[in-house]
């Protein structure tokens, strides 16, 4: 009875069925067709109407050829996402039918889906200027994104070539970096979700995301981030002192206020650094989720992702000079398993000692090896020793080949990779010497003596002249302390040979001394982004600031005949401890244009007085 009394399914309210309208249009009768377009474009269109239309269109996809792309365009603009479940299911069915019958509409369908990867725009005008951006308050955002991914999976199921058409669309739709943090966050998150069900796109998507992160990173130098934080801290303290005593707040308000402060304290003062921080947090979460299944490390997943990330590292990170944060995705994935860290070091070593690679790439690989060995807590001493053996042996062979020939003189252009390797070894020793000597001092000293630093330091290529002064001075102090080599005579001679460079400018002549002829940097210098650093800090070897007492200790050589179990007190406060405290370390950001005082871990020189 109910079925008989129910009205039949409505077709169009004019001119017969959809098929009739499309056939008429084909013969040149456009009246009904224009009415159809008008009805579909109605902003007040009801759910029932959308369902009726979609039902008819699903049965008539054969007629939706390229000539009707304007009509298809209107259908793709239908507000289907924020409708009832019935509308969503009908629309997904329509998309499947459309792309399987008319692949000519594949690109527009993909564009429509990808356009929903960011929150919808809301129109805001201020003084006749459109400052519209995404609507951050949409409660259904997560559900909408889930539906979009269902739609994309539906299309990919019907059209196997979807990935190759999708990738250019993902690239062209990537939001500009000045878009809101929420817009960037949603888009990157959705891109990474695509890699889960379209794995063939993973490498390209990771490349796209990391390329954008790199642009953000090089647009926010460490000094700018520090300056912004300092300015923000100063203005906060001024506001607090102004407000003090003006009004007494209720206890519950106080508690609420404290909560706000703690949540906002994770925000970066620099707007681009804030965006980078959010996106790096997403990337770290993605790496962790892919590599772990039910809380356990999945070796195969991890190896596959590692290969993709190394490929991106080679293509984008290695050729980029002085990026501060993005390279930490390699640091993070290597922390999951020692084998990965060793594979990464081996990969860098191959880059470094291959003479077919450009010199600049070889030098950067050397910087990465030194910084990684020094800073990665998860690398054990046995691996550090293996790497030092490899590097030092190569350096001795290099000296054998070069030290007596026509090129046996100090020149960065000729011997850049050699100097970079020297600096990597010196830097590693500064951070790791305590661990290398730990437990059995005599055995440790015997190992360090076997490296024959004296020959390296004294050779004609004169590495102490080229390496960063802060590294050279600490290396000199440590090697003197343990009577491995006496560097100060060479350092003094080098200092006398430094020729100041006079640069003319609008403010008059400026005399500069080049303290970084290698133009080297330490890629794993302290990580500064507040949210994402919570992932890195537990894995990171910090540096402790030198105290006056430590500087005194550096002057005292160890006594001959020290027993192997005697506890040596060298650099009590200076040596990196396992727990680690942020302080000053030799750093790549020392130059005459930077303030060494404000920068974490970057003195222009860690000065140790020469012994008399």
């Amino acid at each position: 009875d109910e079925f008989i009394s129910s009205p039949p399914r409505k077709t169009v309210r004019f001119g017969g069925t959809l098929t009739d309208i499309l056939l008429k249009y084909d013969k040149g009768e456009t009246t009904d067709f224009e009415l159809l377009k008008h009805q579909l474009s109605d902003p007040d269109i009801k759910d029932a109407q959308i369902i009726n239309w979609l039902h008819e269109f699903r049965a008539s996809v054969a007629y939706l050829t390229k000539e009707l792309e304007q009509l298809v365009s209107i259908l793709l603009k239908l507000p289907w996402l924020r409708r009832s479940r019935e509308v969503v299911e009908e629309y997904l069915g329509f998309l499947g039918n459309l792309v399987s019958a008319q692949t000519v509409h594949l690109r527009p369908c993909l564009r429509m889906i990808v356009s929903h990867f960011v929150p919808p725009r809301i129109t805001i005008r201020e003084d006749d200027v459109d400052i519209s951006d995404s609507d951050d308050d949409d409660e259904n955002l997560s559900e909408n994104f889930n539906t979009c991914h269902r739609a994309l999976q539906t299309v990919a199921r019907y059209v196997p070539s979807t990935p190759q058409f999708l990738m250019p669309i993902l690239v062209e739709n990537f939001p500009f970096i000045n878009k809101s943090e929420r817009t960037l966050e949603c888009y990157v998150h959705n891109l990474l979700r695509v890699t889960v069900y379209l794995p063939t796109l993973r490498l390209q998507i990771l490349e796209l995301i990391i390329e954008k992160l790199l642009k953000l990173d090089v647009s926010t130098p460490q000094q700018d981030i520090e300056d912004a934080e300092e300015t923000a801290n100063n203005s906060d303290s001024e506001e607090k002192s102004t407000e003090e005593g003006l009004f007494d707040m209720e206890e519950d308000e106080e508690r609420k206020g404290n909560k706000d402060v703690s949540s906002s304290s994770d925000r970066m003062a620099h707007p681009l650094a804030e965006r980078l921080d959010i996106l790096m947090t997403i990337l770290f979460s993605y790496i962790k989720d892919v590599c772990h299944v039910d809380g356990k490390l999945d070796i195969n997943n991890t190896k596959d992702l590692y290969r993709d990330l190394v490929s991106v590292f080679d293509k984008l990170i290695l050729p980029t000079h002085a990026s501060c944060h993005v390279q930490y995705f390699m640091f993070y994935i290597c922390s999951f398993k020692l084998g990965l860290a060793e594979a990464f070091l081996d990969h860098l070593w191959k880059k470094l000692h291959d003479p077919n690679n450009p010199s600049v790439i070889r030098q950067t690989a050397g910087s990465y090896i030194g910084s990684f060995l020094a800073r990665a807590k998860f690398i054990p001493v046995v691996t550090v020793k293996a790497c030092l053996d490899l590097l030092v042996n190569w350096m001795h062979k290099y000296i054998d080949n070069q030290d007596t020939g026509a090129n046996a003189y100090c020149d960065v252009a000729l011997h850049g990779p050699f100097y970079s390797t020297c600096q990597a070894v010196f830097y590693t020793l500064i951070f790791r010497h305590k661990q290398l000597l730990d437990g059995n001092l005599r055995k440790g000293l015997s190992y360090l003596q076997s490296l024959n630093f004296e020959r390296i330091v004294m050779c004609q290529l004169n590495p102490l002249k080229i390496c960063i002064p802060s590294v050279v001075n600490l290396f000199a102090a440590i090697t003197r302390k343990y009577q491995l080599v006496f560097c100060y005579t060479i350092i003094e001679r080098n200092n006398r040979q430094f020729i100041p460079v006079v640069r003319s400018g609008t403010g008059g002549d400026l005399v500069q001394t080049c303290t970084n002829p290698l133009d080297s940097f330490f890629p794993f210098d302290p990580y500064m982004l507040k949210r994402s650093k919570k992932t890195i800090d537990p894995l990171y070897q910090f540096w402790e600031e030198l105290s006056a007492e430590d500087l005194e200790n550096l002057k005292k050589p160890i006594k001959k005949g020290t027993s192997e179990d005697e506890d040596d007190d060298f650099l009590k406060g200076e040596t990196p401890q396992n727990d680690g405290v942020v302080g000053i370390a030799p750093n790549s950001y020392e130059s005459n244009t930077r303030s060494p005082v404000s920068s974490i871990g970057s003195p222009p020189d860690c000065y140790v007085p020469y012994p008399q």
Side-chain angles (χ1 to χ4, degrees):
D1 287 347
E2 190 181 332
F3 173 76
I4 291 167
S5 61
S6 64
R9 180 185 278 276
K10 285 184 183 176
T11 59
V12 293
R13 65 177 80 137
F14 48 81
T17 64
L18 176 66
T19 309
D20 294 339
I21 294 171
L22 297 178
L23 288 171
K24 279 184 192 174
Y25 175 75
D26 206 30
K27 293 172 185 172
E29 294 177 32
T30 60
T31 313
D32 286 353
F33 185 75
E34 291 303 320
L35 282 168
L36 166 64
K37 288 200 306 186
H38 179 74
Q39 188 178 344
L40 287 171
S41 307
D42 181 3
D44 300 321
I45 190 167
K46 303 287 187 292
D47 281 13
Q49 290 173 294
I50 293 178
I51 291 169
N52 285 341
W53 279 122
L54 289 174
H55 191 74
E56 291 218 33
F57 272 110
R58 284 181 72 175
S60 310
V61 286
Y63 296 99
L64 297 177
T65 55
K66 185 163 175 58
E67 288 70 39
L68 292 176
E69 63 185 346
Q70 194 185 7
L71 178 61
V72 172
S73 171
I74 292 169
L75 285 167
L76 293 178
K77 286 175 186 165
L78 278 172
W80 63 284
L81 263 181
R82 287 159 193 79
R83 298 284 179 154
S84 65
R85 186 175 176 78
E86 290 76 17
V87 171
V88 168
E89 295 304 324
E90 193 67 40
Y91 198 86
L92 291 176
F94 162 70
L95 277 180
N97 287 16
L98 178 66
V99 294
S100 56
Q102 304 285 353
T103 49
V104 70
H105 299 304
L106 176 62
R107 275 197 188 93
C109 286
L110 294 175
R111 279 198 190 93
M112 179 274 295
I113 295 168
V114 172
S115 72
H116 293 296
F117 276 5
V118 294
R121 283 170 65 85
I122 49 170
T123 306
I124 308 166
R125 295 189 73 79
E126 223 174 68
D127 301 328
D128 290 331
V129 177
D130 184 3
I131 56 164
S132 304
D133 208 337
S134 61
D135 177 6
D136 290 354
D137 299 323
D138 192 336
E139 291 174 8
N140 300 318
L141 208 53
S142 181
E143 195 180 322
N144 292 344
F145 290 153
N146 291 341
T147 309
C148 284
H149 289 290
R150 274 188 64 203
L152 202 49
Q153 284 170 275
T154 302
V155 171
R157 196 162 56 244
Y158 285 110
V159 186
S161 60
T162 293
Q164 71 191 67
F165 291 98
L166 175 63
M167 198 58 220
I169 293 166
L170 296 178
V171 172
E172 71 189 41
N173 276 272
F174 204 104
F176 293 114
I177 57 173
N178 60 349
K179 286 290 179 188
S180 76
E181 294 131 24
R182 184 71 175 141
T183 298
L184 284 162
E185 181 183 7
C186 291
Y187 195 77
V188 168
H189 188 269
N190 283 317
L191 283 190
L192 291 171
R193 278 186 70 175
V194 171
T195 67
V196 176
Y197 54 85
L198 295 179
T200 55
L201 285 183
R202 183 167 76 181
L203 179 57
Q204 289 169 273
I205 286 175
L206 285 170
E207 207 173 284
L208 170 63
I209 291 169
I210 288 166
E211 183 187 7
K212 300 295 182 182
L213 291 179
L214 207 48
K215 284 179 181 171
L216 269 175
D217 200 6
V218 296
S219 304
T220 50
Q222 195 172 5
Q223 188 66 49
D224 290 3
I225 296 175
E226 288 171 8
D227 292 346
E229 290 299 321
E230 195 178 333
T231 307
N233 289 339
N234 290 344
S235 62
D236 283 353
S237 57
E238 277 172 27
E239 278 174 29
K240 278 175 193 167
S241 61
T242 310
E243 285 171 11
E244 264 179 29
L246 287 181
F247 26 71
D248 295 315
M249 297 172 79
E250 296 294 331
E251 271 186 60
D252 58 338
E253 286 180 350
E254 239 174 59
R255 257 186 240 114
K256 199 167 107 182
N258 288 340
K259 273 183 196 166
D260 291 343
V261 169
S262 63
S263 61
S264 67
S265 66
D266 275 350
R267 280 190 71 84
M268 299 296 296
H270 195 297
L272 293 184
E274 172 66 9
R275 287 164 173 74
L276 182 61
D277 193 10
I278 290 168
L279 299 183
M280 286 301 291
T281 306
I282 293 171
L283 183 59
F284 288 153
S285 299
Y286 171 78
I287 291 170
K288 185 180 179 183
D289 289 350
V290 169
C291 296
H292 292 81
V293 177
D294 299 327
K296 289 180 182 174
L297 188 71
D298 184 293
I299 299 298
N300 292 328
N301 288 359
T302 306
K303 280 183 182 173
D304 290 344
L305 181 59
Y306 170 82
R307 286 189 199 103
D308 284 349
L309 290 177
V310 164
S311 174
V312 177
F313 175 84
D314 283 352
K315 185 173 180 181
L316 298 176
I317 304 291
L318 209 51
T320 303
H321 182 67
S323 57
C324 298
H325 300 98
V326 180
Q327 58 266 29
Y328 270 90
F329 67 79
M330 285 308 305
F331 190 95
Y332 183 52
I333 193 168
C334 287
S335 72
F336 294 163
K337 195 163 180 62
L338 179 58
L340 296 176
E342 290 175 341
F344 183 49
L345 285 164
D346 184 56
H347 179 76
L348 292 168
W349 161 243
K350 284 172 182 165
K351 294 272 181 200
L352 172 62
H353 80 91
D354 183 357
N356 296 317
N357 284 328
S359 181
V360 66
I361 294 294
R362 296 175 70 191
Q363 286 171 222
T364 308
S367 298
Y368 270 94
I369 290 172
S371 200
F372 192 58
L373 286 174
R375 296 294 195 172
K377 247 189 203 180
F378 47 85
I379 295 181
V381 179
V382 64
T383 305
V384 174
K385 286 172 84 167
C387 290
L388 284 177
D389 287 340
L390 204 61
L391 296 171
V392 171
N393 284 338
W394 180 82
M395 283 153 62
H396 283 300
K397 280 181 187 167
Y398 191 91
I399 293 168
D400 289 340
N401 294 332
Q402 300 288 338
D403 212 28
T404 53
N407 294 332
Y409 57 92
C410 184
D411 188 337
V412 175
L414 284 173
H415 309 295
F418 171 75
Y419 294 127
S420 182
T421 308
C422 289
Q423 186 160 279
V425 169
F426 298 165
Y427 189 71
T428 303
L429 188 75
I430 289 165
F431 271 83
R432 296 283 196 159
H433 70 271
K434 192 72 173 178
Q435 289 166 290
L436 289 166
L437 297 166
D438 205 24
N440 189 325
L441 185 60
R442 187 174 293 165
K443 199 173 175 184
L445 280 173
S446 175
Y447 168 72
L448 290 179
Q449 284 160 357
S450 73
L451 298 176
N452 196 359
F453 284 123
E454 186 167 10
R455 181 171 185 251
I456 294 165
V457 165
M458 301 290 183
C459 75
Q460 294 294 312
L461 304 181
N462 194 359
L464 295 186
K465 187 174 182 179
I466 300 299
C467 296
I468 291 172
S470 53
V471 173
V472 168
N473 283 337
L474 280 167
F475 173 76
I478 290 163
T479 51
R480 179 185 174 278
K481 173 78 180 176
Y482 290 101
Q483 298 185 358
L484 299 170
V485 59
F486 191 80
C487 301
Y488 291 108
T489 315
I490 297 168
I491 293 171
E492 283 176 338
R493 189 181 70 214
N494 289 340
N495 288 343
R496 285 197 296 272
Q497 290 174 355
F498 266 124
I499 301 169
V501 180
V502 179
R503 299 182 190 277
S504 295
T506 49
D509 291 345
L510 175 69
V511 179
Q512 288 185 326
T513 305
C514 181
T515 57
N516 188 359
L518 262 181
D519 197 24
S520 56
F521 71 109
F522 302 116
F524 299 117
D525 267 347
Y527 192 92
M528 301 181 69
L529 306 175
K530 293 179 186 174
R531 288 182 193 83
S532 44
K533 85 193 294 282
K534 292 171 186 169
T535 303
I536 297 301
D537 279 0
L539 312 168
Y540 192 76
Q541 186 76 72
F542 286 101
W543 180 268
E544 288 190 355
E545 195 168 352
L546 285 166
S547 66
E549 186 188 348
D550 299 329
L551 289 169
E552 275 304 310
N553 281 334
L554 278 172
K555 297 183 197 174
K556 302 172 191 168
I558 56 166
K559 294 167 189 169
K560 292 281 182 189
T562 305
S563 67
E564 58 188 54
D565 57 346
E566 183 178 326
D567 184 21
D568 184 61
D569 64 351
F570 172 59
L571 298 181
K572 284 177 207 159
E574 171 267 323
T575 305
Q577 302 299 321
N578 285 340
D579 295 327
V581 179
V582 177
I584 293 180
N587 175 293
S588 44
Y589 296 99
E590 60 167 274
S591 76
N592 298 324
T593 57
R594 291 174 57 89
S595 159
V597 179
S598 64
S599 184
I600 294 177
S602 47
D605 237 336
C606 196
Y607 178 68
V608 180
Y610 298 159
Q612 299 304 317

